[in-house]
Amino acid sequence: MPEDLFRPQLGEPHHHAYVVENIEATVNRLVDQLGAGPFFLVEKVPLENVLSRGEPAELVHNSAFGYCGRGAIELMEIISSAPERVEERFSAPRPRIHHVAYVVAPTEVSEVRQSLDGRGLPQYLSAELGETHSTLHDASASLGHDIEIHDDVPGLRDFFEMVSGGAEGWDGSEPLRAVES
C-alpha cells in the first residue's frame, strides 16, 4: 500500500454539481420541493484555455449556483462539448449528479491533481475562468460521479460568498438571477 495513500486529502466538499436538461425548470422544482435558492445564473460560462489531456477541448454550458440547505449546488445545462471523452462525461441521463467540487490551496493543488491521476482518477478536462483554474477527474467507477478541483483564489471565494449571502434570509422572490460575466 502506498505510504501516501491518504495524502493529500481533499477536505470538505465545496459544492455538488448536477447536469440538468433545463435550468429554469429545475430551479422552480428545487425552490418548490426543497426551499433551495436563490440561484445565480451564468449563461455560456466564459471558460478559457479549455483542454482535454493537453488537446484543445470545448465545454459550452450555462450554470446556476445556489444553496440547498447549508450546501452549495451547481446546475449545469450543457450546450456543447468535445472531444468525445468530454462529451461522454456529460451525456448520461438527466438530471443526475455530475461532480463534487473541492477547493484546494494553491500550494497543494498541483500535488492533489497529480495524486488523483496517479490513483486512477484521470483528469479529462481543465479550464480557466478568470483567476480560477479547474480540473475534472473521472471518478465514476469509484463514486458514480466525477471530482472537480479548484484553486482556492479570491474570485472563487467572493463569488460563493455572494451566492451564500443571497440565500441568507431569502424571501423566495426572484429565484433565478442573472449574473453579468
Side-chain angles (χ1 to χ4, degrees):
M1 183 178 298
E3 188 175 307
D4 72 338
L5 181 61
F6 299 104
R7 299 275 184 250
Q9 295 182 354
L10 294 174
E12 293 294 317
H14 181 264
H15 67 271
H16 294 77
Y18 299 85
V19 180
V20 301
E21 286 294 335
N22 181 289
I23 286 177
E24 186 174 359
T26 303
V27 164
N28 290 333
R29 281 193 304 275
L30 291 173
V31 169
D32 291 346
Q33 296 171 345
L34 300 173
F39 287 84
F40 295 84
L41 175 65
V42 180
E43 293 188 89
K44 291 192 178 174
V45 177
L47 297 176
E48 297 177 335
N49 300 317
V50 182
L51 300 173
S52 178
R53 298 186 186 149
E55 300 171 2
E58 175 181 271
L59 178 59
V60 180
H61 69 292
N62 301 323
S63 281
F65 299 86
Y67 268 75
C68 185
R70 286 186 253 173
I73 61 174
E74 174 184 8
L75 306 175
M76 301 176 73
E77 185 179 288
I78 307 304
I79 298 167
S80 62
S81 57
E84 186 176 341
R85 68 179 154 263
V86 174
E87 186 178 356
E88 287 173 356
R89 301 302 315 135
F90 290 94
S91 65
R94 301 170 186 167
R96 70 170 178 88
I97 190 161
H98 181 267
H99 64 262
V100 175
Y102 296 87
V103 175
V104 178
T107 56
E108 300 172 11
V109 74
S110 180
E111 181 184 352
V112 166
R113 289 178 173 133
Q114 289 174 2
S115 176
L116 291 172
D117 283 343
R119 295 175 193 201
L121 304 171
Q123 176 182 312
Y124 68 89
L125 191 73
S126 66
E128 296 173 2
L129 177 60
E131 63 183 340
T132 303
H133 180 239
S134 302
T135 55
L136 283 165
H137 298 259
D138 183 352
S140 59
S142 300
L143 298 169
H145 60 76
D146 294 337
I147 292 175
E148 184 176 47
I149 303 296
H150 291 285
D151 295 20
D152 187 3
V153 294
L156 181 69
R157 286 194 304 270
D158 292 348
F159 180 80
F160 276 92
E161 284 176 18
M162 179 210 48
V163 174
S164 174
E168 290 178 25
W170 181 51
D171 64 4
S173 63
E174 202 180 348
L176 187 58
R177 303 167 184 195
V179 174
E180 299 298 322
S181 53

